Amino acid sequence: MDHRTLGTSGPVASALGLGAMGMSGAYGPSDRSESIATVHAALEAGITLIDTGDFYGMGHNEMLLGEALKGRRDNAVLSVKFGAQRGPNGAWFGFDGRPAAVKTALAYTLERLGVDHIDIYRPARLDPNVPIEETVGAIKDMIDAGYVRHLGLSEVGPETIRRANAVHPVVDLQIEYSLISRSMERAILPVTRELGIGITAYGVLSRGLISGHWSKGGLAAGDFRGHSPRFSAENVDHNLQLVEKLRDIAADKGISVAQLAIAWVLAQGSDIVPVIGARRRDRLTEALGALDVVLTEADLSAIEGAVPPDAARGERYQPAQMAMLDSERTGA
């Protein structure tokens, strides 16, 4: 397993991370035993970075990982997002970044995971009603107390990054980044590189859209992609045409579309760690194969010619959720 350091002050982590959200219902039903087996297979393959959120399945994901990591905690770099407010029916109410809420959320997370510390703790989104300095200050308190090792951020823009980093060093920014989600390249990536902050990139296969495996009609009940603009009837045919262009390039190299898309993200810099949302061992094995893919300058040129920036149709989320992204505000 290759390794990459998260920022100038962060931990050394595997070059690929495992995102566990899909194991808790986000993409429809999942198999608990297969999910745990996938976590175990990831650890055995040398993946150390494991990412979750306390609101994934309303705590289900943390409890699942707690079970999977029993006796294996020392092999994992645990990254946890917090702050999303949800109702019993799954409705989203916004984000809570108040210091007391930060510390309370952490207490519940430690209990559900069955661990005594979190390696990287991060607000899932910016709370517009709480200065980022206060939210980060609370995490700093928890770092000083030994309950957290490092500070991370998620989906925030350049100004917020600078303000947070002034309170305590930020080790990484978690943000969606893929061949069809490249907005962070404009103003965010230059700032993280200036400040020595790593990137943990989620959505590198755009929720399966550019994996080469998904086709229309493949959404189960409860799958949040049913509400995603990029999967909507007016956009999906265009977006799948982009996948076919990638398939041609991948075939020439003897690899899968997913491996090509992951390898492209890996090739964008040693400060970027793709987080793969595999919830089955076969998909994990495929993703791991991307580590062996070497993309030449000619390959990269062909890929970006096939799928240039802004080639996809549809936003990442519906308008209400896009409005919650500090990273997508004008000028970000």
Side-chain angles (χ1 to χ4, degrees):
M1 174 60 64
D2 296 330
H3 292 84
R4 297 183 172 188
T5 302
L6 297 179
T8 56
S9 61
V12 174
S14 50
L16 285 181
L18 178 65
M21 182 181 78
M23 299 176 182
S24 294
Y27 301 121
S30 59
D31 183 275
R32 184 179 185 86
S33 61
E34 179 62 22
S35 295
I36 292 174
T38 300
V39 174
H40 290 170
L43 294 171
E44 289 159 9
I47 287 180
T48 58
L49 182 65
I50 309 291
D51 182 78
T52 184
D54 63 9
F55 50 93
Y56 291 170
M58 306 308 294
H60 174 276
N61 204 241
E62 289 182 327
M63 291 186 286
L64 177 75
L65 286 179
E67 181 178 345
L69 292 174
K70 283 181 180 177
R72 305 169 188 248
R73 170 65 180 96
D74 292 344
N75 298 326
V77 176
L78 273 173
S79 164
V80 179
K81 293 180 291 297
F82 70 89
Q85 304 298 290
R86 303 184 67 182
N89 63 351
W92 298 90
F93 301 137
F95 299 87
D96 193 343
R98 295 173 299 164
V102 172
K103 297 174 182 180
T104 300
L106 176 61
Y108 281 107
T109 282
L110 293 170
E111 183 67 24
R112 284 190 291 257
L113 283 166
V115 300
D116 62 5
H117 73 277
I118 302 302
D119 296 293
I120 310 171
Y121 201 52
R122 68 183 84 243
R125 298 288 187 268
L126 178 68
D127 183 343
N129 301 311
V130 178
I132 189 62
E133 290 85 354
E134 293 184 15
T135 301
V136 169
I139 299 174
K140 182 181 183 301
D141 289 345
M142 297 295 91
I143 291 173
D144 292 342
Y147 296 115
V148 174
R149 295 290 186 265
H150 303 282
L151 167 67
L153 296 173
S154 177
E155 290 288 0
V156 292
E159 179 186 354
T160 303
I161 295 169
R162 291 186 186 280
R163 289 170 56 190
N165 195 64
V167 175
H168 190 275
V170 176
V171 298
D172 74 318
L173 170 70
Q174 189 173 111
I175 192 166
E176 185 169 352
Y177 186 50
S178 72
L179 272 165
I180 63 171
S181 297
R182 298 179 60 178
S183 60
M184 75 106 170
E185 292 177 340
R186 291 190 288 269
I188 292 174
L189 188 57
V191 170
T192 59
R193 286 178 167 166
E194 173 196 337
L195 298 176
I197 296 170
I199 296 289
T200 43
Y202 74 90
V204 297
L205 298 179
S206 300
R207 279 90 175 174
L209 181 61
I210 61 171
S211 67
H213 299 298
W214 189 85
S215 58
K216 287 197 300 182
L219 299 180
D223 191 323
F224 89 95
R225 291 174 293 187
H227 303 286
S228 169
R230 289 181 176 171
F231 288 83
S232 67
E234 62 269 27
N235 295 325
V236 70
D237 287 333
H238 169 84
N239 292 335
L240 287 176
Q241 288 174 7
L242 299 177
V243 178
E244 293 311 305
K245 294 180 180 179
L246 293 176
R247 197 184 304 278
D248 291 339
I249 299 171
D252 287 342
K253 293 189 68 66
I255 60 176
S256 70
V257 178
Q259 289 169 338
L260 185 75
I262 296 167
W264 180 87
V265 175
L266 283 164
Q268 301 312 301
S270 60
D271 55 341
I272 300 175
V273 174
V275 177
I276 309 302
R279 53 179 174 163
R280 294 182 355 214
R281 283 169 287 181
D282 58 339
R283 294 290 189 247
L284 173 67
T285 298
E286 180 184 26
L288 286 166
L291 292 167
D292 298 322
V293 176
V294 176
L295 297 179
T296 65
E297 289 299 323
D299 292 331
L300 292 170
S301 179
I303 292 167
E304 298 202 20
V307 185
D310 302 318
R313 288 182 183 169
E315 297 283 5
R316 295 200 273 145
Y317 298 101
Q318 291 184 318
Q321 290 179 299
M322 287 296 292
M324 297 178 183
L325 298 177
D326 184 58
S327 54
E328 292 286 349
R329 291 181 181 174
T330 303

Short mmCIF file of all heavy atoms in Angstrom, two decimals, residues 225-255:
data_model
loop_
_atom_site.label_atom_id
_atom_site.label_comp_id
_atom_site.label_asym_id
_atom_site.label_seq_id
_atom_site.Cartn_x
_atom_site.Cartn_y
_atom_site.Cartn_z
N ARG A 225 -29.70 8.90 -4.54
CA ARG A 225 -29.40 9.33 -5.90
C ARG A 225 -30.67 9.57 -6.72
O ARG A 225 -30.61 10.23 -7.76
CB ARG A 225 -28.50 8.29 -6.58
CG ARG A 225 -27.10 8.24 -6.00
CD ARG A 225 -26.29 7.11 -6.59
NE ARG A 225 -26.80 5.80 -6.23
CZ ARG A 225 -26.20 4.65 -6.51
NH1 ARG A 225 -25.06 4.65 -7.18
NH2 ARG A 225 -26.72 3.49 -6.13
N GLY A 226 -31.77 9.03 -6.24
CA GLY A 226 -33.04 9.28 -6.92
C GLY A 226 -33.43 10.74 -6.91
O GLY A 226 -34.30 11.17 -7.68
N HIS A 227 -32.80 11.51 -6.04
CA HIS A 227 -33.07 12.95 -5.95
C HIS A 227 -31.88 13.78 -6.44
O HIS A 227 -31.87 15.00 -6.30
CB HIS A 227 -33.41 13.34 -4.51
CG HIS A 227 -34.56 12.58 -3.94
ND1 HIS A 227 -35.87 12.82 -4.30
CD2 HIS A 227 -34.60 11.55 -3.04
CE1 HIS A 227 -36.67 12.00 -3.64
NE2 HIS A 227 -35.93 11.22 -2.88
N SER A 228 -30.87 13.12 -6.99
CA SER A 228 -29.67 13.82 -7.44
C SER A 228 -29.85 14.35 -8.85
O SER A 228 -30.24 13.60 -9.76
CB SER A 228 -28.47 12.88 -7.41
OG SER A 228 -27.35 13.46 -8.06
N PRO A 229 -29.57 15.64 -9.09
CA PRO A 229 -29.74 16.21 -10.42
C PRO A 229 -28.96 15.48 -11.51
O PRO A 229 -29.42 15.37 -12.65
CB PRO A 229 -29.24 17.65 -10.25
CG PRO A 229 -29.50 17.96 -8.81
CD PRO A 229 -29.21 16.68 -8.09
N ARG A 230 -27.80 14.95 -11.18
CA ARG A 230 -27.01 14.29 -12.21
C ARG A 230 -27.60 12.94 -12.65
O ARG A 230 -27.24 12.43 -13.71
CB ARG A 230 -25.56 14.12 -11.73
CG ARG A 230 -24.83 15.44 -11.68
CD ARG A 230 -23.41 15.30 -11.25
NE ARG A 230 -22.73 16.59 -11.33
CZ ARG A 230 -21.52 16.83 -10.85
NH1 ARG A 230 -20.85 15.87 -10.24
NH2 ARG A 230 -20.98 18.03 -10.97
N PHE A 231 -28.47 12.38 -11.82
CA PHE A 231 -29.13 11.12 -12.15
C PHE A 231 -30.54 11.34 -12.69
O PHE A 231 -31.25 10.37 -12.96
CB PHE A 231 -29.19 10.22 -10.92
CG PHE A 231 -27.87 9.64 -10.51
CD1 PHE A 231 -26.98 10.36 -9.72
CD2 PHE A 231 -27.50 8.36 -10.91
CE1 PHE A 231 -25.75 9.81 -9.33
CE2 PHE A 231 -26.28 7.80 -10.52
CZ PHE A 231 -25.40 8.53 -9.74
N SER A 232 -30.95 12.60 -12.81
CA SER A 232 -32.31 12.90 -13.24
C SER A 232 -32.51 12.58 -14.71
O SER A 232 -31.55 12.50 -15.49
CB SER A 232 -32.65 14.37 -12.98
OG SER A 232 -31.86 15.21 -13.81
N ALA A 233 -33.76 12.43 -15.12
CA ALA A 233 -34.07 12.01 -16.48
C ALA A 233 -33.51 12.96 -17.53
O ALA A 233 -33.10 12.52 -18.61
CB ALA A 233 -35.59 11.88 -16.64
N GLU A 234 -33.49 14.25 -17.22
CA GLU A 234 -33.03 15.22 -18.21
C GLU A 234 -31.51 15.29 -18.33
O GLU A 234 -30.99 15.90 -19.28
CB GLU A 234 -33.58 16.62 -17.90
CG GLU A 234 -33.14 17.21 -16.58
CD GLU A 234 -34.08 16.90 -15.43
OE1 GLU A 234 -34.77 15.86 -15.48
OE2 GLU A 234 -34.12 17.71 -14.49
N ASN A 235 -30.79 14.69 -17.38
CA ASN A 235 -29.33 14.80 -17.39
C ASN A 235 -28.60 13.47 -17.55
O ASN A 235 -27.45 13.44 -18.00
CB ASN A 235 -28.84 15.45 -16.09
CG ASN A 235 -29.31 16.88 -15.94
OD1 ASN A 235 -29.42 17.62 -16.92
ND2 ASN A 235 -29.59 17.29 -14.71
N VAL A 236 -29.21 12.39 -17.15
CA VAL A 236 -28.47 11.14 -17.02
C VAL A 236 -27.95 10.60 -18.35
O VAL A 236 -26.84 10.06 -18.42
CB VAL A 236 -29.32 10.09 -16.28
CG1 VAL A 236 -30.49 9.60 -17.14
CG2 VAL A 236 -28.46 8.93 -15.84
N ASP A 237 -28.71 10.73 -19.43
CA ASP A 237 -28.23 10.21 -20.71
C ASP A 237 -26.96 10.91 -21.15
O ASP A 237 -26.00 10.27 -21.60
CB ASP A 237 -29.31 10.36 -21.78
CG ASP A 237 -30.46 9.37 -21.59
OD1 ASP A 237 -30.22 8.30 -21.01
OD2 ASP A 237 -31.58 9.68 -22.02
N HIS A 238 -26.94 12.22 -21.01
CA HIS A 238 -25.73 12.97 -21.35
C HIS A 238 -24.55 12.52 -20.50
O HIS A 238 -23.43 12.31 -21.01
CB HIS A 238 -25.97 14.46 -21.15
CG HIS A 238 -24.73 15.29 -21.22
ND1 HIS A 238 -24.19 15.74 -22.41
CD2 HIS A 238 -23.88 15.74 -20.24
CE1 HIS A 238 -23.08 16.41 -22.17
NE2 HIS A 238 -22.87 16.43 -20.87
N ASN A 239 -24.78 12.37 -19.21
CA ASN A 239 -23.68 12.00 -18.30
C ASN A 239 -23.17 10.59 -18.57
O ASN A 239 -21.97 10.33 -18.47
CB ASN A 239 -24.14 12.15 -16.85
CG ASN A 239 -24.38 13.60 -16.48
OD1 ASN A 239 -23.80 14.51 -17.08
ND2 ASN A 239 -25.24 13.84 -15.50
N LEU A 240 -24.07 9.69 -18.94
CA LEU A 240 -23.62 8.33 -19.25
C LEU A 240 -22.84 8.27 -20.57
O LEU A 240 -22.01 7.38 -20.77
CB LEU A 240 -24.82 7.38 -19.30
CG LEU A 240 -25.43 7.04 -17.93
CD1 LEU A 240 -26.67 6.17 -18.09
CD2 LEU A 240 -24.41 6.36 -17.02
N GLN A 241 -23.08 9.23 -21.45
CA GLN A 241 -22.28 9.31 -22.68
C GLN A 241 -20.82 9.65 -22.34
O GLN A 241 -19.89 9.16 -23.00
CB GLN A 241 -22.86 10.37 -23.62
CG GLN A 241 -24.17 9.96 -24.28
CD GLN A 241 -24.80 11.07 -25.09
OE1 GLN A 241 -24.22 12.14 -25.28
NE2 GLN A 241 -26.01 10.84 -25.57
N LEU A 242 -20.62 10.44 -21.31
CA LEU A 242 -19.26 10.74 -20.86
C LEU A 242 -18.58 9.46 -20.37
O LEU A 242 -17.38 9.25 -20.60
CB LEU A 242 -19.28 11.78 -19.74
CG LEU A 242 -19.88 13.15 -20.07
CD1 LEU A 242 -19.89 14.02 -18.82
CD2 LEU A 242 -19.12 13.83 -21.19
N VAL A 243 -19.35 8.63 -19.68
CA VAL A 243 -18.80 7.37 -19.17
C VAL A 243 -18.34 6.48 -20.32
O VAL A 243 -17.29 5.83 -20.23
CB VAL A 243 -19.85 6.64 -18.30
CG1 VAL A 243 -19.30 5.30 -17.81
CG2 VAL A 243 -20.26 7.50 -17.11
N GLU A 244 -19.10 6.47 -21.40
CA GLU A 244 -18.71 5.64 -22.55
C GLU A 244 -17.40 6.12 -23.17
O GLU A 244 -16.60 5.32 -23.65
CB GLU A 244 -19.83 5.60 -23.58
CG GLU A 244 -21.08 4.87 -23.09
CD GLU A 244 -20.77 3.51 -22.47
OE1 GLU A 244 -20.11 2.69 -23.15
OE2 GLU A 244 -21.15 3.28 -21.30
N LYS A 245 -17.17 7.41 -23.15
CA LYS A 245 -15.89 7.93 -23.64
C LYS A 245 -14.74 7.45 -22.75
O LYS A 245 -13.66 7.09 -23.24
CB LYS A 245 -15.92 9.45 -23.68
CG LYS A 245 -16.89 10.03 -24.70
CD LYS A 245 -16.87 11.56 -24.67
CE LYS A 245 -17.84 12.15 -25.69
NZ LYS A 245 -17.82 13.64 -25.64
N LEU A 246 -14.99 7.44 -21.45
CA LEU A 246 -13.98 6.93 -20.52
C LEU A 246 -13.77 5.43 -20.69
O LEU A 246 -12.66 4.92 -20.57
CB LEU A 246 -14.39 7.23 -19.08
CG LEU A 246 -14.42 8.69 -18.65
CD1 LEU A 246 -14.94 8.82 -17.22
CD2 LEU A 246 -13.03 9.33 -18.75
N ARG A 247 -14.84 4.73 -21.02
CA ARG A 247 -14.74 3.29 -21.20
C ARG A 247 -13.79 2.94 -22.35
O ARG A 247 -13.03 1.98 -22.27
CB ARG A 247 -16.13 2.69 -21.45
CG ARG A 247 -16.16 1.16 -21.24
CD ARG A 247 -17.54 0.59 -21.58
NE ARG A 247 -18.61 1.21 -20.84
CZ ARG A 247 -18.96 0.88 -19.60
NH1 ARG A 247 -18.28 -0.06 -18.96
NH2 ARG A 247 -19.97 1.46 -19.00
N ASP A 248 -13.83 3.73 -23.40
CA ASP A 248 -12.94 3.50 -24.54
C ASP A 248 -11.48 3.66 -24.13
O ASP A 248 -10.62 2.86 -24.51
CB ASP A 248 -13.26 4.47 -25.68
CG ASP A 248 -14.61 4.18 -26.33
OD1 ASP A 248 -15.10 3.03 -26.18
OD2 ASP A 248 -15.17 5.08 -26.97
N ILE A 249 -11.20 4.69 -23.32
CA ILE A 249 -9.82 4.93 -22.88
C ILE A 249 -9.38 3.82 -21.93
O ILE A 249 -8.26 3.31 -22.03
CB ILE A 249 -9.72 6.31 -22.19
CG1 ILE A 249 -10.08 7.43 -23.18
CG2 ILE A 249 -8.32 6.53 -21.62
CD1 ILE A 249 -10.22 8.79 -22.54
N ALA A 250 -10.27 3.44 -21.02
CA ALA A 250 -9.95 2.38 -20.07
C ALA A 250 -9.67 1.06 -20.79
O ALA A 250 -8.74 0.32 -20.44
CB ALA A 250 -11.09 2.21 -19.08
N ALA A 251 -10.47 0.77 -21.80
CA ALA A 251 -10.29 -0.48 -22.53
C ALA A 251 -8.92 -0.53 -23.20
O ALA A 251 -8.27 -1.58 -23.24
CB ALA A 251 -11.40 -0.63 -23.57
N ASP A 252 -8.47 0.60 -23.73
CA ASP A 252 -7.15 0.65 -24.37
C ASP A 252 -6.04 0.34 -23.37
O ASP A 252 -4.98 -0.16 -23.76
CB ASP A 252 -6.92 2.02 -25.00
CG ASP A 252 -7.76 2.24 -26.26
OD1 ASP A 252 -8.23 1.23 -26.82
OD2 ASP A 252 -7.94 3.40 -26.66
N LYS A 253 -6.28 0.65 -22.08
CA LYS A 253 -5.27 0.40 -21.06
C LYS A 253 -5.49 -0.93 -20.34
O LYS A 253 -4.70 -1.29 -19.46
CB LYS A 253 -5.25 1.54 -20.03
CG LYS A 253 -4.77 2.87 -20.61
CD LYS A 253 -4.54 3.92 -19.54
CE LYS A 253 -3.37 3.60 -18.64
NZ LYS A 253 -2.06 3.63 -19.30
N GLY A 254 -6.56 -1.60 -20.67
CA GLY A 254 -6.83 -2.88 -20.04
C GLY A 254 -7.28 -2.78 -18.60
O GLY A 254 -7.02 -3.68 -17.79
N ILE A 255 -7.97 -1.70 -18.27
CA ILE A 255 -8.46 -1.48 -16.91
C ILE A 255 -9.93 -1.13 -16.96
O ILE A 255 -10.51 -0.93 -18.03
CB ILE A 255 -7.67 -0.35 -16.19
CG1 ILE A 255 -7.82 0.98 -16.94
CG2 ILE A 255 -6.20 -0.73 -16.05
CD1 ILE A 255 -7.16 2.16 -16.27
#
